[in-house]
Amino acid sequence: MTDPLLTSLLAAVEAAPADVPLRLHVAELLLARGRGPEALHHCSTALGQAPGDPAALALLQRVTAALARPDVNPDTRPLPVVPKTPPTAPFPVRSLPEPTADDPATFDWAHAEDQVADISPEPAFVSGDPVTEEVEQAVRPDVRLADVGGMEQVKERLELSFLGPMRNPEMARAFGKGLGGGLLLYGPPGCGKTFLARAVAGELGASFTEIGISDVLDMWTGSSEKNLSAIFAAARRKAPHVLFFDEVDALGQKRSHLTHSSSLRNTVNTLLAEMDSLSGRNDGVYVLGATNHPWDVDSALRRPGRFDRMLLVLPPDEGARAAILRHHLEKRPVEGIDLGKLVKATEHFSGADLTHVCDTAAERALADSMRTGQVRPLTMKDLQAALKEVQPSTGPWFATARNVALFANQDGTYDDLAAYLKKNRRL
Amino acid sequence: MTTPFELALRAEQLGRIGRIPDAERAAREAVALEPQDPRLLGTLSSTLLLAKRYDEGLAAAEAACASGPELERSHRLRALHLSMLGRHAEAVQAGYASVSIAPEEPAAAHGYAKVLQRAGRAVDAVQVARRVVELDPDSAAAHLLLADCASDLKDKAHRELARAEYEATLRIDPENAAAKHDLALLDARSRRPAQALAGLIQAGRLDPTMPEVMRTVVVVLWQLSWRLRMWLFVATLFTLGASLSSATGARVSAGIVLLLTAGLVWWTVRDLPRQTWPVVSRAVRTDRPLTLTYAALALCLLLYLGALASGFGVMVTGVWIVLIALGWLALGVRAFRR
């Protein structure tokens, strides 16, 4: 049987879909006429338009209760009183009436959850996106800058150029320093850029996601751009959040190198558009990048609002080398280790090289122990033998870096690098 | 599950952004799923070409040719690997096979021209490279190929063609560091060291990772040192002649030589950017014989200063001794480096 009042009201809702009170009134009428699912639909739409609306929330509870007990005639139940004025408390749910016997608050949720505990629902019509999920589930790293051994200069520069302004936004603004823009960490491979990025996230109190090229690049045209946009959208929802792009030279390669790949060029364009913090869209999203080849990064990525700050992360200094060596040796049986001597002998070694030295020395001691059947502690002799086998891997990087400092430093971008090379007589 | 075709696409994409180990991994996974597919074998071979592992790449290309002899790419890759391994006769045959299968395919002609060039058949290479430009006139790579092939020929017409093609490359792709470098090299060969140096600085700025740039700077500096040596040799004759008459004659001739030397140096370097000097200084320090040569040339100028101050013209005979020693050094370096 048709209800002329309801029909005309539904037509009115269709004509004015943003009218929340009207929609709630229609939902009430639908509920009263036993058309619970339709009432629920209108109620949800109203809540979507006015989240936290107390009347809508109260009606939603009634509708869901009615749907849970379809045998009860909704007409026989008293309507709860809807407050006329909006409550002042931040959470409107608190202003709802006390639960009654008919109220869904009395529903045994724990029992219901037990019943469905073994069901893991799959989202319908949505293909799983592991990277976006990773961003959504990212947590704040426990690491802080204080946990980074040595590298005092790098930490100081990080503090001055990036963390300080973020912590003192008013002061930074007073000095005309914008808070937008990202930070590009560059330097030879294996020198702790990723660890530093984590520490920055820890200092900022932000969750952290590391994005590799495989998380973004997709062979299908348009998919890489879509992946990038989804990552940034997820990071904005998760703000404050640190997005760390490892090997950013691959994703943000000079577009002039990509003349034969429009798809890759579009990926760079998308990265440029998403990173543009001058639009204010990325408030609370800190973008960090790491690369061994900053000279291969498209120059547009280094403009204001994008990676406008660059930080050189050099091979570990003496303090850092001591910390790294101590870390790798402390859980191994050792005897007579002269850490100072080792530190001196490992200049220009990257963190990864130091790990390699310790592993090689440990392998020697282990092999000897297995031969004799007795545990022989790792000694300086093992480490010195390992040092003869392992050469610092940073040499080729510095060979290229020297050319960069000579040819491509007309704007002073690589002044830090040039100063380091000069200091070490490599320029 | 990822299909072999998707993996191959991924490998090609990773190769394009220079992630060669990842590209190789993806290509190998693809081949493991479909070991007889010539396209997948071709992808693996092309990745190995990027990785400069020509033996393995040749094996993959030969397997691709065996599985699908009708595919042009397999033959082209085989030709390129053979060429890189120095097996030029076989490489040319394979390259010819690839252009026979796809005569309208610019990539096939490009590969064939490269193979001919590496085989030392410069005239044929130029002919094929012209065809590449005809097939793909908007491609910077096509013009660069023709320019490189033409620059291998020493005659004026081909040098002009090379220059025009390098310029065409740079018009299409102004950031093409290789074209900039090769044009500078052409300038150096055409005895235009100042232009060559300026071009090299620009090439280095566009792609600082190119190791050739510094090597070519060293070559240009050797050229400049040769010019200076020749000038001083002639000037010394003049000074000795003038100093026979009187001390004043020695002073005047030494002064003229020093002034003309300064003028020549200024004329040569007047248009060079400021950034050239650290590069030149670095290049001179990198190459020990070059360091010695420039130190010796500085000593020659000091001898001239001495003649100017003392009027003792015979002093400049020391310049000849130095120049003869430098000549022997240059000959030794040349023989050794060849």
Side-chain angles (χ1 to χ4, degrees):
Chain A
M1 201 177 96
T2 54
D3 184 337
L5 172 65
L6 206 50
T7 310
S8 58
L9 281 173
L10 283 168
V13 165
E14 209 168 333
D19 192 339
V20 175
L22 175 65
R23 195 181 280 279
L24 289 176
H25 180 59
V26 170
E28 288 244 22
L29 286 176
L30 284 166
L31 180 64
R33 279 151 181 76
R35 291 161 68 177
E38 285 174 72
L40 180 64
H41 166 73
H42 283 283
C43 208
S44 311
T45 311
L47 272 172
Q49 287 163 343
D53 183 290
L57 281 166
L59 185 59
L60 179 69
Q61 286 196 337
R62 280 173 45 219
V63 173
T64 46
L67 286 170
R69 291 192 305 277
D71 52 327
V72 178
N73 182 1
D75 286 341
T76 59
R77 286 181 289 125
L79 291 172
V81 180
V82 176
K84 292 237 162 53
T85 51
T88 51
F91 299 103
V93 178
R94 286 182 188 167
S95 65
L96 292 172
E98 285 298 310
T100 62
D102 291 332
D103 205 284
T106 57
F107 182 75
D108 189 355
W109 288 107
H111 179 64
E113 278 176 17
D114 281 345
Q115 283 182 324
V116 295
D118 55 340
I119 301 170
S120 55
E122 292 287 327
F125 313 116
V126 177
S127 58
D129 187 346
V131 194
T132 318
E133 278 168 28
E134 207 178 301
V135 176
E136 302 281 5
Q137 288 161 15
V139 291
R140 181 189 151 178
D142 300 331
V143 193
R144 305 293 292 262
L145 275 185
D147 299 318
V148 180
M151 301 175 90
E152 296 308 326
Q153 270 190 331
V154 175
K155 287 193 261 185
E156 195 184 317
R157 292 214 47 217
L158 253 179
E159 190 64 52
L160 287 176
S161 68
F162 192 74
L163 291 170
M166 297 294 175
R167 288 197 188 111
N168 306 285
E170 297 304 323
M171 201 184 284
R173 273 191 206 105
F175 281 90
K177 191 123 174 88
L179 295 181
L183 175 72
L184 182 63
L185 304 168
Y186 77 99
C191 289
K193 294 186 280 291
T194 308
F195 191 66
L196 267 174
R198 279 185 180 281
V200 168
E203 291 288 334
L204 288 170
S207 46
F208 176 90
T209 316
E210 185 180 339
I211 310 290
I213 47 170
S214 55
D215 297 323
V216 177
L217 281 191
D218 195 294
M219 52 276 199
W220 303 117
T221 304
S223 298
S224 304
E225 297 93 302
K226 207 176 82 185
N227 289 346
L228 256 181
S229 299
I231 288 167
F232 271 90
R236 285 178 200 122
R237 285 196 298 273
K238 184 80 181 169
H241 188 79
V242 169
L243 273 182
F244 174 62
F245 286 92
D246 202 6
E247 298 186 276
V248 77
D249 52 302
L251 290 177
Q253 201 165 85
K254 276 182 184 168
R255 281 167 292 176
S256 58
H257 290 177
L258 302 171
T259 43
H260 291 295
S261 176
S262 58
S263 163
L264 287 168
R265 254 196 343 266
N266 289 339
T267 308
V268 181
N269 288 335
T270 308
L271 183 61
L272 290 172
E274 292 291 346
M275 273 199 74
D276 200 345
S277 66
L278 298 179
S279 61
R281 280 190 309 159
N282 289 344
D283 286 346
V285 177
Y286 308 101
V287 187
L288 304 187
T291 174
N292 305 334
H293 311 285
W295 38 85
D296 286 338
V297 174
D298 195 281
S299 55
L301 261 178
R302 300 214 304 263
R303 290 200 188 124
R306 293 170 185 141
F307 286 121
D308 45 13
R309 278 158 283 198
M310 280 175 69
L311 186 67
L312 174 62
V313 182
L314 288 163
D317 55 21
E318 285 196 1
R321 292 205 296 280
I324 294 167
L325 288 167
R326 199 176 292 117
H327 172 78
H328 286 299
L329 294 174
E330 68 189 358
K331 284 179 187 157
R332 287 172 165 147
V334 291
E335 193 179 86
I337 300 292
D338 184 346
L339 206 58
K341 207 171 168 183
L342 265 180
V343 164
K344 287 223 158 29
T346 51
E347 206 183 348
H348 306 307
F349 277 61
S350 70
D353 294 334
L354 293 173
T355 308
H356 193 184
V357 167
C358 293
D359 288 347
T360 309
E363 275 167 22
R364 271 177 62 96
L366 174 67
D368 211 18
S369 302
M370 286 192 296
R371 252 194 312 272
T372 57
Q374 277 189 330
V375 174
R376 178 178 72 69
L378 194 156
T379 62
M380 271 306 275
K381 215 174 155 187
D382 296 315
L383 285 160
Q384 276 160 344
L387 276 173
K388 279 182 192 155
E389 283 178 37
V390 181
Q391 296 299 312
S393 61
T394 54
W397 189 87
F398 278 113
T400 306
R402 192 176 61 203
N403 278 356
V404 172
L406 273 174
F407 290 106
N409 192 30
Q410 62 271 34
D411 57 356
T413 309
Y414 299 105
D415 277 351
D416 287 351
L417 178 62
Y420 176 82
L421 291 170
K422 263 187 191 146
K423 195 176 146 200
N424 286 276
R425 293 167 183 263
R426 291 189 184 212
L427 194 65
Chain B
M1 194 187 142
T2 316
T3 64
F5 175 64
E6 287 172 346
L7 281 166
L9 273 177
R10 183 162 187 77
E12 303 270 357
Q13 194 181 39
L14 287 165
R16 270 198 291 274
I17 57 167
R19 293 298 183 271
I20 312 297
D22 296 332
E24 189 190 333
R25 207 172 302 126
R28 282 195 189 281
E29 278 178 42
V31 171
L33 292 171
E34 291 274 351
Q36 294 303 316
D37 190 312
R39 290 162 305 172
L40 303 179
L41 286 163
T43 300
L44 176 60
S45 176
S46 129
T47 311
L48 291 166
L49 186 69
L50 291 173
K52 299 182 180 173
R53 280 162 45 203
Y54 307 118
D55 278 317
E56 291 170 70
L58 176 63
E62 285 184 337
C65 287
S67 300
E70 72 287 355
L71 288 183
E72 168 276 319
R73 193 185 183 209
S74 315
H75 294 277
R76 179 178 9 125
L77 286 164
R78 183 168 171 263
L80 290 169
H81 282 292
L82 283 166
S83 173
M84 296 312 288
L85 289 167
R87 291 161 62 179
H88 296 301
E90 292 166 83
V92 170
Q93 269 190 343
Y96 186 74
S98 84
V99 286
S100 307
I101 292 169
E104 300 298 317
E105 171 59 52
H110 194 117
Y112 187 40
K114 277 262 173 217
V115 165
L116 284 169
Q117 190 195 12
R118 283 187 55 80
R121 288 170 55 179
V123 178
D124 295 335
V126 169
Q127 203 182 335
V128 179
R130 278 186 199 275
R131 176 77 183 134
V132 180
V133 172
E134 270 171 36
L135 290 170
D136 196 0
D138 297 328
S139 155
H143 288 278
L144 181 59
L145 174 75
L146 177 53
D148 278 344
C149 293
S151 73
D152 288 346
L153 292 161
K154 308 290 176 214
D155 61 292
K156 198 179 167 209
H158 277 105
R159 282 209 173 164
E160 279 170 9
L161 171 67
R163 182 173 295 281
E165 289 302 319
Y166 282 131
E167 283 164 1
T169 309
L170 289 166
R171 264 197 306 280
I172 297 169
D173 177 11
E175 293 194 17
N176 194 316
K180 208 69 171 159
H181 170 267
D182 292 355
L183 182 58
L185 196 61
L186 194 67
D187 279 328
R189 282 186 195 156
S190 312
R191 308 264 176 249
R192 288 192 264 194
Q195 283 102 314
L197 268 183
L200 289 169
I201 298 297
Q202 283 177 25
R205 198 181 298 161
L206 290 172
D207 185 1
T209 59
M210 270 203 316
E212 301 94 323
V213 175
M214 201 43 128
R215 283 203 293 267
T216 314
V217 170
V218 169
V219 169
V220 174
L221 290 176
W222 271 109
Q223 235 178 33
L224 280 171
S225 82
W226 185 85
R227 274 190 179 190
L228 200 52
R229 276 180 282 150
M230 287 304 104
W231 158 247
L232 287 176
F233 187 83
V234 175
T236 306
L237 272 177
F238 165 72
T239 312
L240 280 174
S243 58
L244 288 175
S245 53
S246 64
T248 316
R251 277 205 174 102
V252 171
S253 62
I256 289 171
V257 167
L258 283 171
L259 270 176
L260 282 174
T261 308
L264 274 174
V265 170
W266 174 82
W267 181 256
T268 309
V269 303
R270 69 191 189 286
D271 292 329
L272 289 179
R274 277 184 63 193
Q275 214 199 337
T276 313
W277 305 118
V279 177
V280 166
S281 151
R282 176 74 208 167
V284 170
R285 277 182 288 140
T286 310
D287 191 279
R288 287 292 162 210
L290 192 64
T291 316
L292 195 64
T293 301
Y294 275 92
L297 288 171
L299 177 68
C300 291
L301 294 176
L302 276 176
L303 286 171
Y304 267 100
L305 273 175
L308 178 70
S310 66
F312 188 55
V314 188
M315 196 182 265
V316 295
T317 47
V319 172
W320 269 2
I321 296 166
V322 172
L323 290 178
I324 289 165
L326 284 182
W328 282 110
L329 174 74
L331 281 175
V333 167
R334 201 171 175 173
F336 182 73
R337 289 192 180 164
R338 269 190 180 172

